[in-house]
Amino acid sequence: MTTPTLDPTDRRILDVLQSDGRISNLDLAAKVGLSPTPCARRVRRLEETGVIRGYGARINPAALGHGVNVIVSVRLVRQNPRDIDEFLRAVKAMPEVTECLLVTGDLDYILRVAAPDVDSLKGFFLDRLKKLPGVSNTTTNLILETVKTTR
Amino acid sequence: MTTPTLDPTDRRILDVLQSDGRISNLDLAAKVGLSPTPCARRVRRLEETGVIRGYGARINPAALGHGVNVIVSVRLVRQNPRDIDEFLRAVKAMPEVTECLLVTGDLDYILRVAAPDVDSLKGFFLDRLKKLPGVSNTTTNLILETVKTTR
DNA sequence: GTTGAAACTTATTAAAC
DNA sequence: GTTTAATAAGTTTCAAC
């Protein structure tokens, strides 16, 4: 990938934009100690080089009806390509699955699952996740609180 | 918490803002089939009621020099308020900690940690995380691939 | 890198329907 | 909820330093 060099000013810009993606260029320039023109140039460059991938609203999951958020650790039985492929395709298609990570360790995939309530989650597990090929073991942790997020 | 009722239009607004947090009110209104005035009113209401928690730039972790991403499961020794409080304060202040979740199960907190390389991660663990009060046990999983993200 | 100014696009508010 | 109009504010582009 292209790896543009980021100087300290770029990093400060990214820092500010990460916590306030809707700040005006004037305020941003003032915060990072730059005049508006070069500040806008830098932001545009960061966007064009893919350092900034986009902007998004941080939405309260509970308000969206995602009252129940869990982390599901999944272990696949056999690591054969066909099963993995089908598992990944299914996971990508499931709207409840908010995130899916391939990790090392004694488990294979970590899923983040959001559902309106426990009943929906039950259906998701029994009717869908557990029926996927290769899924041998799953452990679930209920998320009680999001203490921090910088993403 | 206050749970305002979200009608379909609100949900469409949230949907658009989630993927494009910098869209102008005019474009947003057009996308959700509303005129600009009530659209702006709804967005403002969503912000004030806490449904929209803020806006942020999505930044390429690799560009930031976060080549190594891990998931750290942390277990605290004693669950006394003072320790928990200090632990949380420290975690919030650590820039390497990208996410922190309080969960149920045989562990207490799940952290997402990003570092430039393995050496930095080593320093983070030995000099900082392990020295926090109450941290008894940590297990670490290296993230090999982000298969899916909807957040 | 800086400032300054003009042209263009939005946001915001108010009014009337 | 809608449209329209006016003011204020922000963005972008350009020139000159």
Side-chain angles (χ1 to χ4, degrees), chain B residues 70-112:
Chain B
V70 295
I71 292 176
V72 184
S73 305
V74 177
R75 198 168 176 181
L76 300 186
V77 217
R78 292 164 306 166
Q79 292 277 13
N80 84 66
R82 235 186 310 269
D83 280 0
I84 294 179
D85 220 54
E86 191 173 340
F87 173 76
L88 290 182
R89 235 199 322 268
V91 154
K92 283 177 188 168
M94 294 173 176
E96 298 95 338
V97 177
T98 263
E99 198 168 15
C100 175
L101 303 172
L102 171 62
V103 295
T104 61
D106 49 286
L107 36 91
D108 300 315
Y109 290 92
I110 292 182
L111 270 51
R112 179 108 172 227

Side-chain angles (χ1 to χ4, degrees), chain A residues 17 21-22 51 53-58 60 92 94 98 100 102 104 112 141-142 144-145 147-148 150-151, chain B residues 17 21-22 51 53-58 60 92 94 98 100 102 104 141-142 144-145 147-148 150-151:
Chain A
L17 283 179
R22 269 198 146 174
V51 175
R53 286 180 169 162
Y55 302 86
R58 283 189 296 270
N60 187 342
K92 283 178 188 168
M94 293 173 177
T98 264
C100 176
L102 171 61
T104 62
R112 179 109 172 225
N141 291 96
L142 178 65
L144 298 176
E145 188 192 344
V147 177
K148 181 182 184 178
T150 326
R151 314 177 334 109
Chain B
L17 283 179
R22 268 198 147 174
V51 175
R53 286 178 170 164
Y55 302 87
R58 283 189 297 269
N60 187 342
K92 283 177 188 168
M94 294 173 176
T98 263
C100 175
L102 171 62
T104 61
N141 292 97
L142 178 65
L144 298 177
E145 187 192 344
V147 177
K148 181 182 183 177
T150 327
R151 315 180 325 112

Side-chain angles (χ1 to χ4, degrees), chain B residues 2 16 98:
Chain B
T2 41
V16 175
T98 263

Side-chain angles (χ1 to χ4, degrees), chain B residues 61 65-70 95-99 112-117 120-121 124:
Chain B
H66 290 167
V68 182
N69 273 259
V70 295
E96 298 95 338
V97 177
T98 263
E99 198 168 15
R112 179 108 172 227
V113 179
D117 48 53
S120 316
L121 204 63
F124 169 76

Side-chain angles (χ1 to χ4, degrees), chain B residues 117-130:
Chain B
D117 48 53
V118 177
D119 256 19
S120 316
L121 204 63
K122 179 188 168 191
F124 169 76
F125 269 99
L126 298 185
D127 301 335
R128 312 184 62 202
L129 188 64
K130 296 273 191 181

Side-chain angles (χ1 to χ4, degrees), chain A residues 1 3-4 6 11 14-15 17-25 28 43 47 49-65 69 71 88 91-107 109-110 112 140-151, chain B residues 1 3-4 6 11 14-15 17-25 28 43 47 49-65 69 71 88 91-107 109-110 112 140-151:
Chain A
M1 198 207 297
T3 310
L6 300 180
R11 287 175 188 282
L14 292 176
D15 231 47
L17 283 179
Q18 194 162 36
S19 61
D20 184 4
R22 269 198 146 174
I23 193 173
S24 75
N25 183 52
L28 176 61
V43 171
E47 290 169 351
T49 55
V51 175
I52 296 175
R53 286 180 169 162
Y55 302 86
R58 283 189 296 270
I59 294 166
N60 187 342
L64 268 179
N69 273 258
I71 291 176
L88 291 183
V91 154
K92 283 178 188 168
M94 293 173 177
E96 298 94 338
V97 177
T98 264
E99 198 168 17
C100 176
L101 304 172
L102 171 61
V103 295
T104 62
D106 49 286
L107 34 91
Y109 290 93
I110 292 182
R112 179 109 172 225
T140 302
N141 291 96
L142 178 65
I143 298 176
L144 298 176
E145 188 192 344
T146 301
V147 177
K148 181 182 184 178
T149 2
T150 326
R151 314 177 334 109
Chain B
M1 198 208 295
T3 311
L6 300 180
R11 287 177 187 281
L14 292 175
D15 231 47
L17 283 179
Q18 193 162 35
S19 61
D20 184 3
R22 268 198 147 174
I23 193 172
S24 74
N25 183 52
L28 176 61
V43 171
E47 289 169 351
T49 54
V51 175
I52 296 175
R53 286 178 170 164
Y55 302 87
R58 283 189 297 269
I59 294 166
N60 187 342
L64 269 179
N69 273 259
I71 292 176
L88 290 182
V91 154
K92 283 177 188 168
M94 294 173 176
E96 298 95 338
V97 177
T98 263
E99 198 168 15
C100 175
L101 303 172
L102 171 62
V103 295
T104 61
D106 49 286
L107 36 91
Y109 290 92
I110 292 182
R112 179 108 172 227
T140 303
N141 292 97
L142 178 65
I143 299 175
L144 298 177
E145 187 192 344
T146 301
V147 177
K148 181 182 183 177
T149 0
T150 327
R151 315 180 325 112

